[in-house]
Amino acid sequence: DGGITQSPKYLFRKEGQNVTLSCEQNLNHDAMYWYRQDPGQGLRLIYYSQIVNDFQKGDIAEGYSVSREKKESFPLTVTSAQKNPTAFYLCASSLRQDNQPQHFGDGTRLSIL
Amino acid sequence: GIQVEQSPPDLILQEGANSTLRCNFSDSVNNLQWFHQNPWGQLINLFYIPSGTKQNGRLSATTVATERYSLLYISSSQTTDSGVYFCAVSAGYSGAGSYQLTFGKGTKLSVIP
């Protein structure tokens, strides 16, 4: 079945450690996105990529980095510079056109040890 | 940037009751989606509805783009309808960032037996 796979479902980070969240899609979508959700809040955009080897900062990019070497993959690294990384992270993808819905993965919950 | 307001923030219903959730947005949009986030955090696409009316079973949605609002109707509510309902929009102009969704803070629905 086509879809978006995020892994792992749960992740724990030690102080000063970088961690990488995986997002893979087999929908042949050009655009991919990373969102962060804090408890009781809506989603906020971290980074997005419209094509391979190109990506743009969203509203809350500080302390995060991404890469887009393949169309199917858009990993997110939470660096040690992100002082409050505990959150629920959701990846999405869409066709790179106007009037196209975004489809979401099941998310990764990141916590600090 | 575009602003999205959802109301009410919380809603408690008796099983079998009907409800209407509202989403107001501050600018013209080329994408509007309604999502249901279940207790496990999964974000489920309900409707892609930048304008017009759609129905899917007990759920229906209407967007009046010229008046900048959308409504989600839930009829004969069931306990499985519980969760948070999000409205998300992207602005109706081209350029970098035009595909990013801006989310409202959601309506938390609790359906009690």
Side-chain angles (χ1 to χ4, degrees):
Chain A
D1 285 348
I4 301 172
T5 302
Q6 290 188 241
S7 61
K9 288 192 182 301
Y10 300 93
L11 187 57
F12 298 92
R13 194 191 90 168
K14 295 180 180 178
E15 293 287 343
Q17 185 182 45
N18 293 352
V19 292
T20 297
L21 285 59
S22 171
C23 178
E24 304 276 334
Q25 54 97 3
N26 61 4
L27 299 168
N28 200 31
H29 286 168
D30 296 297
M32 297 186 74
Y33 314 80
W34 274 106
Y35 293 88
R36 169 181 171 139
Q37 185 179 27
D38 292 286
Q41 301 295 316
L43 281 66
R44 293 181 291 166
L45 184 68
I46 305 173
Y47 268 100
Y48 65 101
S49 167
Q50 297 185 27
I51 55 173
V52 173
N53 293 322
D54 184 65
F55 47 84
Q56 306 291 332
K57 292 182 179 180
D59 300 322
I60 55 167
E62 186 174 351
Y64 299 97
S65 67
V66 293
S67 62
R68 186 83 187 279
E69 297 177 2
K70 297 187 301 181
K71 185 176 183 178
E72 307 79 38
S73 177
F74 191 39
L76 173 74
T77 296
V78 184
T79 74
S80 58
Q82 172 49 246
K83 298 306 180 188
N84 185 22
T86 297
F88 187 46
Y89 292 88
L90 286 147
C91 177
S93 71
S94 71
L95 290 170
R96 184 175 167 261
Q97 300 167 18
D98 282 346
N99 305 323
Q100 295 297 327
Q102 290 187 19
H103 301 268
F104 283 78
D106 289 345
T108 293
R109 293 191 186 278
L110 175 61
S111 301
I112 298 298
L113 288 178
Chain B
I2 194 166
Q3 305 296 314
V4 181
E5 293 186 2
Q6 291 186 242
S7 60
D10 295 279
L11 185 59
I12 299 174
L13 295 176
Q14 198 79 37
E15 198 170 23
N18 302 329
S19 63
T20 301
L21 283 57
R22 186 176 180 102
C23 172
N24 292 333
F25 43 94
S26 61
D27 204 346
S28 60
V29 298
N30 65 351
N31 181 353
L32 188 148
Q33 292 181 248
W34 282 98
F35 297 92
H36 174 216
Q37 188 167 42
N38 63 25
W40 298 271
Q42 292 175 315
L43 207 60
I44 299 163
N45 275 298
L46 297 177
F47 293 102
Y48 168 73
I49 187 167
S51 64
T53 298
K54 291 186 178 180
Q55 180 154 9
N56 184 5
R58 296 181 296 104
L59 303 181
S60 63
T62 295
T63 298
V64 184
T66 53
E67 297 187 20
R68 297 183 183 169
Y69 74 88
S70 183
L71 302 174
L72 178 68
Y73 305 96
I74 304 174
S75 64
S76 304
S77 58
Q78 301 175 358
T79 56
T80 51
D81 294 332
S82 297
V84 182
Y85 289 80
F86 288 105
C87 169
V89 304
S90 66
Y93 59 86
S94 298
S98 63
Y99 304 115
Q100 54 180 300
L101 287 175
T102 298
F103 280 74
K105 293 189 176 181
T107 292
K108 184 177 181 180
L109 175 64
S110 300
V111 180
I112 56 177

